Amino acid sequence: MKLLHSITRKYIVSAVSVLILFTVAMYVLVNTILDSSINEQLMGTKGRIVSNYPGGSLKVFPFIEIDEVASIPPHTADMLKDTLIYNTAEHEQEVFREYVSYQELHHSPHKITLRLSLIEKEDLIWAFSAAFGLFSALLLLALFIVNKKTTAALFAPFYRTLAQMRNFSLRSSVPLALENGDIDEFKELNTILSELTARARKEYTAVKEFSENASHELQTPLAIVTSKLDLLIQKENLDDEEKLLIEAMYQNIGRLTHLNKALLLLSQIETAGYFEPADVDFAREVRSELDAMMPIAEYKNITVTSSIEPMRPVTANPMLVHILVKNLLSNALKHNHDGGTIAVRAEENSFVIENTGAAPESGTEILFDRFQKSGASDDSIGLGLAVVKEICTLYHFGVEYVYAGGMHTVTVRLTGIHQSN
Amino acid sequence: MRQYARLRDAKLNKIRILREHRSFPHASDSMKLLLIEDEKELSRSIIEYIKDEGYVCTCSYSFIDASKNINDYEYDCVVVDLTLPGGSGLELIRQLKTVQPATGIIIISAKNSLDDKLAGLDLGADDYLTKPFHLAELNSRIKSVLRRRFYSGSSSVIINELRIEPEKHEVFVHDGEIALTKKEFDILLYLATNKEKVLTKEGILEHIWGDDAATFDSLDFVYTHIKNLRKKLIAGNCGDYIKSVYGIGYKFSAL
């Protein structure tokens, strides 16, 4: 439940309960006051009759009935009760308070019956209730509106902070511009969040710089080992076995170098603003990469077909677009078989590569994760698609990889929200 | 300024002499090389590899030493690392460009940073090589820079009956032109500039494909190119100089 709804609901519930209690108390109080005032009135009237009555019978129906009686029944006290009397004028039963008292008036016993209509009391209570109900409803409505408005205004900075946090990225270097309202708690929240995010960014940057530096530092020993091997193979007296050992070293140093470069690239892509964007002709990049791989495709006996139409202009780093296209095309070449096919399609908004190849051993989506390889025998380093994914994420391109019916299909969509950073 | 003019005159004079002799690369005894690299092991490897080229090589292991050498002596080519104890290689390039602008400059850096590369090339460096690299690659880059700097347009690599014109991308055997594809030409020039050295398949692949080599995982591809190249050369009556080295790669041997 939303905070604002929750607050409003709590307010309304407590207001309604207070109003109900108040109403009950009011009713009881008003009723009691009116009752006792009616009773006092009746008793006052009786008192006056007793002291001033000239004698004889009197009947003013239904208000006063004074009758002479034979005797006062024993043990009779004055009696008060409510009674219904038919009102002939309005054709309805009317409630009356009836006061019956036996009194000696001028030495003869009389029965005095006094009645007062309770209609007024009921009307009064009704009027009172109506007024009170209306007042309560207005009060609740006002409470509801004011509450909603004020809490919305009060919590506005909180919601703005939430929105900012939702868009927060460790990679971005744009500082958080959290808005401080007048509320201390929110100010404190913003301070804490600012500190937290600054610290997280700092640590993220440190980790990234560390991995970048580690990659850089690795280059030098790799260069030294490569150079020593380059010298070693110049020796005249190497036998074939030794040559194979050296070749294995070369291959693995090559892998290590490639791996290191890919890791470095990944950490550089993650650094916002590292790669300057420019206007890139995606289709031209596809065409030139296709041309570059043609000889290898021919060599591997793979048929390449392509249909390349102009693509929408893209603002991206040319080197990264080059890497994106190259990685996908070289994957299509690598994970293919003799006599296989590659179909490349470039359209306004999408770039699709379809190629034959063995089924991946795992789901296609996880191949975008780092160090995921399609097969155990594969000696690739498993970072090609991770790099593709990072580049696509950076430029808000959509990318998907489907394997069905012996065909691998990778689609890059340029339709994402375009943003240059 | 006077010193600069003097140096320039000396350099131009030398270029003139070299041009007259037209004897590149083997009479390059006078070519002076400064290697600025703080990693002594790497420095040692480079010197060892190019010792047969007949350069006069000097090594500097720090910024201060390199700066002193640049200002005191004359060099034809300087190979410079960008991260040095005591200062940046870029600053050394700046100094070089002031005191001896005709010197060829090759940057070798562990940083595969586009900014550094552009900054270096903007300052006037001729080439940029990212570590790790094959020594053969560095050697061919040094030769290429020397060719461009001192034999502009008129340099050729001549080995017996074989004549390679790097600028024009032409190859002649006994003055008859051999038609090669671009890749075959690149391989031949790479092998020839590193003649009598064993070159790895990886190094050759990297040379012709650049940074993309690793993504194409096609070492066999090199084999096919070299097979075709050999066929074409032999068909043109050239000696079969390209020898394959078991397991490792190839060697251009004219001995």
Side-chain angles (χ1 to χ4, degrees), chain A residues 215-216 219-220 222-224 226-228 230-231 233-236 238 240-244 246-247 250-251 253-254 257-258 261 264 268 274-275 289 292-293 295-296 299-300 317 319 322 326-327 330-331 333-334 379, chain B residues 37 39-42 44-46 48-49 110-115 130-136 183 196-202 206 209 211-212 214-221 223-225 245-249 251:
Chain A
S215 295
H216 277 144
Q219 307 279 61
T220 303
L222 279 172
I224 293 172
T226 307
S227 74
K228 297 300 168 193
D230 283 351
L231 292 177
I233 55 171
Q234 309 307 330
K235 302 284 175 211
E236 297 290 338
L238 292 174
D240 285 356
E241 200 183 327
E242 287 164 340
K243 284 174 184 164
L244 287 181
I246 294 172
E247 173 56 21
Y250 266 121
Q251 274 182 17
I253 286 174
T257 305
H258 184 39
K261 278 186 180 162
L264 193 57
Q268 285 166 346
Y274 188 93
F275 290 102
E289 280 307 306
M293 71 176 236
I296 295 169
Y299 175 74
K300 289 189 154 189
N317 181 274
M319 190 177 111
H322 166 81
K326 184 193 72 190
N327 280 7
S330 67
N331 265 354
L333 265 184
K334 246 189 258 181
D379 67 349
Chain B
E37 164 63 65
E39 288 290 335
K40 292 198 173 130
E41 279 300 340
L42 188 57
R44 208 172 296 159
S45 296
I46 293 170
E48 167 75 16
Y49 193 85
K111 281 196 181 178
N112 186 15
S113 145
L114 208 61
D115 287 346
T130 308
K131 291 181 191 173
F133 49 80
H134 287 280
L135 294 177
K183 296 262 181 277
E196 310 307 334
K197 298 276 195 222
V198 177
L199 304 181
T200 61
K201 289 175 284 189
E202 290 85 356
E206 236 173 84
W209 282 108
D211 267 351
D212 300 350
T215 56
F216 286 117
D217 85 328
S218 265
L219 288 175
D220 297 341
F221 193 55
Y223 167 78
T224 316
H225 274 313
V245 179
Y246 180 79
I248 294 178
K251 178 177 178 175

Side-chain angles (χ1 to χ4, degrees), chain A residues 246-321:
Chain A
I246 294 172
E247 173 56 21
M249 286 190 238
Y250 266 121
Q251 274 182 17
N252 285 288
I253 286 174
R255 256 176 93 177
L256 197 55
T257 305
H258 184 39
L259 180 69
N260 203 31
K261 278 186 180 162
L263 284 175
L264 193 57
L265 179 67
L266 278 172
S267 77
Q268 285 166 346
I269 296 172
E270 284 170 9
T271 311
Y274 188 93
F275 290 102
E276 287 285 323
D279 292 330
V280 180
D281 184 346
F282 207 105
R284 201 178 65 189
E285 196 59 54
V286 172
R287 223 174 287 124
S288 86
E289 280 307 306
L290 266 176
D291 287 347
M293 71 176 236
M294 273 325 233
I296 295 169
E298 269 169 43
Y299 175 74
K300 289 189 154 189
N301 193 22
I302 291 168
T303 314
V304 180
T305 54
S306 64
S307 120
I308 297 171
E309 287 166 27
M311 294 172 80
R312 62 183 265 188
V314 170
T315 307
N317 181 274
M319 190 177 111
L320 292 183
V321 172

Side-chain angles (χ1 to χ4, degrees), chain A residues 329-357:
Chain A
L329 285 178
S330 67
N331 265 354
L333 265 184
K334 246 189 258 181
H335 306 292
N336 214 319
H337 51 70
D338 190 58
T341 61
I342 297 176
V344 178
R345 223 167 44 242
E347 287 158 8
E348 165 79 14
N349 285 320
S350 64
F351 165 50
V352 184
I353 302 176
E354 272 184 326
N355 66 282
T356 51

